[in-house]
Amino acid sequence: TWLSFMRERLLLIRDLLAPNGSVWVHLDDAEQHRMRCLMDEVFGAQNAIATVVWQSSDIPKSTARHMSVDQDYVSVYATDASTWRPFKLPRDPAMDAKYRNPDTDPRGPWLPGPITATKPYSRGIYPISTPDGLEHWPTPGTFWRFSRERFDELDADGRIYWGRDGNSRPLIKRYLSEVGDLVPRTLWHYVDVGSTRHAKIEMKKLFTTPFGTPKPERLLERVLLIGSREGDIVLDCFGGSGTTAAVAH
């Protein structure tokens, strides 16, 4: 009965979606797998974007019969996954604070990154000598990410860090000035987007009659930031406690 109810609405949503539109469906573990099958039927399995895992509970459920289920899911589908692209998320100041500039690089703060990878690379096996002449090879099972020619170019450009003593294994500098906004990820922690407990606190400030399943505002904010821009049309087809409208406003 529930699937039939949802199928009728998903068909309408599909017809309403813009060519670059996306649909986001939140469910718990009880119905998530059935909804995925239904959405494959309505939107096409090829248009599935991802399943977001939301840490909806920030307190273990000590009364759980078996296990404390701490997550819900958001299934994301697009009108056309081959052309749909998510909008990136703004950077968190705490992330930028991790960048340092221990060698007073004129390009500003940077983070060190490894120059090895596990994917085989035919031109990624060769010795690298530090400025003081110490020789380094990739560790067993790894390869340099760059050819020798490319590595020499990066080193000449000051983008390789040899450690405080000049003899450490080389690291590549990733400059804060060159990083952009964040590619959305599928694991959403409650510290970033809120939990159901936060949602209830927010709702009680607005309503005297509580709503059963409110969503935290930061959760909806992330959905709107990834899926839309100012001036776009967003449809919350159930409405609930009005969180989507509040966040959009």
Side-chain angles (χ1 to χ4, degrees), residues 143-214:
F143 305 80
W144 301 129
R145 293 176 180 269
F146 314 105
S147 66
R148 179 183 290 277
E149 295 77 12
R150 178 57 180 157
F151 176 85
D152 290 342
E153 291 175 359
L154 293 169
D155 189 26
D157 194 30
R159 292 175 176 267
I160 299 297
Y161 182 59
W162 299 98
R164 295 182 182 276
D165 61 359
N167 277 320
S168 299
R169 294 180 65 81
L171 297 169
I172 189 168
K173 298 179 180 180
R174 306 188 185 282
Y175 295 95
L176 177 59
S177 60
E178 295 177 354
V179 298
D181 289 336
L182 303 174
V183 173
R185 304 177 70 177
T186 56
L187 184 58
W188 294 6
H189 297 278
Y190 78 87
V191 293
D192 299 317
V193 297
S195 66
T196 53
R197 183 176 63 86
H198 294 126
K200 290 175 182 178
I201 293 173
E202 293 169 354
M203 183 191 62
K204 287 179 180 178
K205 293 178 180 179
L206 300 174
F207 300 106
T208 55
T209 303
F211 179 76
T213 56

Side-chain angles (χ1 to χ4, degrees), residues 86-154:
F87 294 106
K88 293 185 177 182
L89 294 168
R91 295 185 61 81
D92 186 333
M95 296 178 179
D96 294 347
K98 297 177 181 178
Y99 287 74
R100 297 287 188 270
N101 194 359
D103 58 350
T104 320
D105 191 309
R107 280 172 285 222
W110 50 270
L111 272 180
I115 67 165
T116 57
T118 57
K119 184 177 180 180
Y121 178 40
S122 61
R123 302 179 65 190
I125 299 290
Y126 54 87
I128 290 178
S129 296
T130 69
D132 290 340
L134 184 64
E135 190 173 88
H136 290 290
W137 287 81
T139 56
T142 67
F143 305 80
W144 301 129
R145 293 176 180 269
F146 314 105
S147 66
R148 179 183 290 277
E149 295 77 12
R150 178 57 180 157
F151 176 85
D152 290 342
E153 291 175 359
L154 293 169

Side-chain angles (χ1 to χ4, degrees), residues 20-58:
N20 62 342
S22 59
V23 55
W24 303 62
V25 178
H26 161 262
L27 286 169
D28 63 14
D29 197 44
E31 297 291 356
Q32 164 67 11
H33 57 300
R34 298 186 182 91
M35 175 57 77
R36 279 296 306 265
C37 293
L38 179 58
M39 295 183 76
D40 280 350
E41 174 195 330
V42 174
F43 298 98
Q46 74 278 7
N47 292 317
I49 299 299
T51 297
V52 170
V53 179
W54 167 39
Q55 187 184 9
S56 55
S57 177
D58 57 350

